[in-house]
């Protein structure tokens, strides 16, 4: 779960559509906000758009409440987060881990996720030749 206290900008789905229309090369990150409780509660995530200049924008609801203001959108993994990523994501593959954390990875031309990811987004590297075959966390 996120531990930083960095201020985030706000973005709506309409803002994401505008970024796409302008050809902005953004990245998407999904942060686990609420851990799963097996049999009771699925994990919940929020979506962070990372712009080329490093600015991070949290996805918020399009409608702003006069009482609560702009509220972050939270997604359940299926179908919400997966559907959102396919429609408004950055074109990278989603990788789900046993602890319910999610990473996005570039996909090679053959459709297989590459072992190397963007280290600024918490990526992983392929093991060195002759390694144990497990991915090493950066």
């Amino acid at each position: 779960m996120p531990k930083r206290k960095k201020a985030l900008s706000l973005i709506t789905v309409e803002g994401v559509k505008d970024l796409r229309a302008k050809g902005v090369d953004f990245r998407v990150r999904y942060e686990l906000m609420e851990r799963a409780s097996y049999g009771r509660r699925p994990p919940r995530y929020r979506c962070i758009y990372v712009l080329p200049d490093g600015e991070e924008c949290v996805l918020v609801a399009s409608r702003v409440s006069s009482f609560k203001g702009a509220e972050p959108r939270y997604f359940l993994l299926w179908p919400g987060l997966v559907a959102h990523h396919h429609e408004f994501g950055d074109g990278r593959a989603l990788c789900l881990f046993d602890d319910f954390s999610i990473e996005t990875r570039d996909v090679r031309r053959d459709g297989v996720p590459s072992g190397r990811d963007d280290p600024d987004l918490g990526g992983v590297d392929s093991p060195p030749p002759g390694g144990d075959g497990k991915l090493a966390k950066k």
Side-chain angles (χ1 to χ4, degrees):
M1 292 208 249
K3 295 178 183 173
R4 68 185 133 87
K5 295 189 180 198
K6 181 179 179 182
L8 299 172
S9 299
L10 307 178
I11 193 166
T12 62
V13 167
E14 290 76 16
V16 175
K17 289 178 184 177
D18 188 48
L19 291 176
R20 286 183 158 211
K22 292 178 180 176
V24 175
D25 185 28
F26 60 84
R27 293 291 187 203
V28 179
R29 181 178 70 239
Y30 297 97
E31 293 183 342
L32 180 62
M33 299 305 294
E34 188 175 314
R35 294 203 180 276
S37 172
Y38 292 98
R40 292 182 158 189
R41 180 182 69 238
R44 290 184 349 147
Y45 302 85
R46 71 178 179 178
C47 179
I48 307 293
Y49 286 86
V50 183
L51 304 181
D53 64 0
E55 180 181 8
E56 296 183 349
C57 305
V58 64
L59 184 67
V60 296
S62 296
R63 295 184 185 160
V64 176
S65 163
S66 59
F67 178 68
K68 294 182 180 179
E71 292 191 75
R73 288 186 60 185
Y74 294 103
F75 294 97
L76 300 180
L77 182 61
W78 184 261
L81 186 143
V82 173
H84 176 81
H85 187 73
H86 281 284
E87 189 169 355
F88 301 106
D90 56 12
R92 298 176 347 141
L94 290 173
C95 298
L96 177 67
F97 296 95
D98 289 342
D99 65 354
F100 293 103
S101 63
I102 294 177
E103 289 181 2
T104 55
R105 295 188 183 166
D106 289 321
V107 179
R108 298 188 320 224
R109 288 181 178 252
D110 60 3
V112 177
S114 67
R116 194 169 275 285
D117 193 12
D118 186 344
D120 294 332
L121 297 178
V124 295
D125 278 335
S126 298
D132 62 3
K134 295 181 181 176
L135 295 178
K137 189 80 173 160
K138 275 191 170 176

